[in-house]
Amino acid sequence: MKIRILRVFAAVLLLSFALPSVAQNVRYEQQGTAYVTAEDQWIADRLVDQAIGAPQGADAQVVFYRTHDQVPGPVRVDGGAGPLALLESGTCVALRLVPGSHAFVIDGRTVTVRVEPGERDYVRITSAPTGPKVAISNALTFLRLVTGKRDPLYASN
């Protein structure tokens, strides 16, 4: 009888350790993919904060990054007052800005970014022989390209 009680107690003890991980998976499944994506984006933003620094106070930040490509030479990023950066393949630059709308010229192509106080936006530059392709991006895409991993290990994975 004592052995049977010990076995039941051991089984309950083992299940109690596994229960939090099961509950975690159920939470993600019930919340849906939008919740998981938003959480991954939040975590990616925190990782970028650690890597390049968070926007300070009422300032905003724009991160320009160039993907790894085979096109030689830098891509020039110009602001209203002249050149801001020269991006080689696989590099990035973070610029502190006052909140508002800003226009940038990237090798002849204009992109407008509107940033709010304490916010960070991303501009992805992909070089091609016909000229750079410019697109507004996000922290998840930025981290995937910087780390070289398709699916970084975030809390939801």
Side-chain angles (χ1 to χ4, degrees):
M1 184 71 173
K2 279 188 170 182
I3 293 174
R4 183 181 236 181
I5 292 173
L6 285 175
R7 285 184 183 169
V8 169
F9 178 73
V12 169
L13 186 63
L14 287 174
L15 285 174
S16 68
F17 285 114
L19 188 58
S21 64
V22 171
Q24 186 80 7
N25 288 336
V26 169
R27 186 176 125 230
Y28 290 127
E29 290 172 11
Q30 289 178 347
Q31 294 292 342
T33 57
Y35 175 82
V36 173
T37 302
E39 182 186 54
D40 285 351
Q41 183 67 38
W42 183 84
I43 293 170
D45 282 331
R46 299 302 70 81
L47 290 172
V48 174
D49 286 349
Q50 292 174 4
I52 63 175
Q56 300 296 317
D59 287 343
Q61 197 175 59
V62 175
V63 177
F64 292 91
Y65 66 98
R66 182 175 166 190
T67 60
H68 292 280
D69 53 51
Q70 301 300 319
V71 179
V75 171
R76 182 177 163 156
V77 178
D78 290 322
L84 299 172
L86 294 173
L87 293 176
E88 296 290 339
S89 176
T91 60
C92 68
V93 64
L95 303 175
R96 286 179 55 183
L97 303 169
V98 296
S101 187
H102 299 273
F104 300 96
V105 178
I106 301 166
D107 274 359
R109 289 178 168 73
T110 302
V111 61
T112 302
V113 179
R114 178 161 182 74
V115 287
E116 301 296 326
E119 182 182 287
R120 178 186 300 118
D121 282 355
Y122 299 85
V123 177
R124 177 181 178 176
I125 303 166
T126 306
S127 287
T130 59
K133 296 177 184 174
V134 180
I136 302 299
S137 187
N138 59 47
L140 279 173
T141 305
F142 172 69
L143 283 177
R144 287 178 179 147
L145 291 170
V146 169
T147 62
K149 296 179 183 177
R150 177 149 172 77
D151 292 314
L153 298 176
Y154 299 119
S156 62
N157 290 351

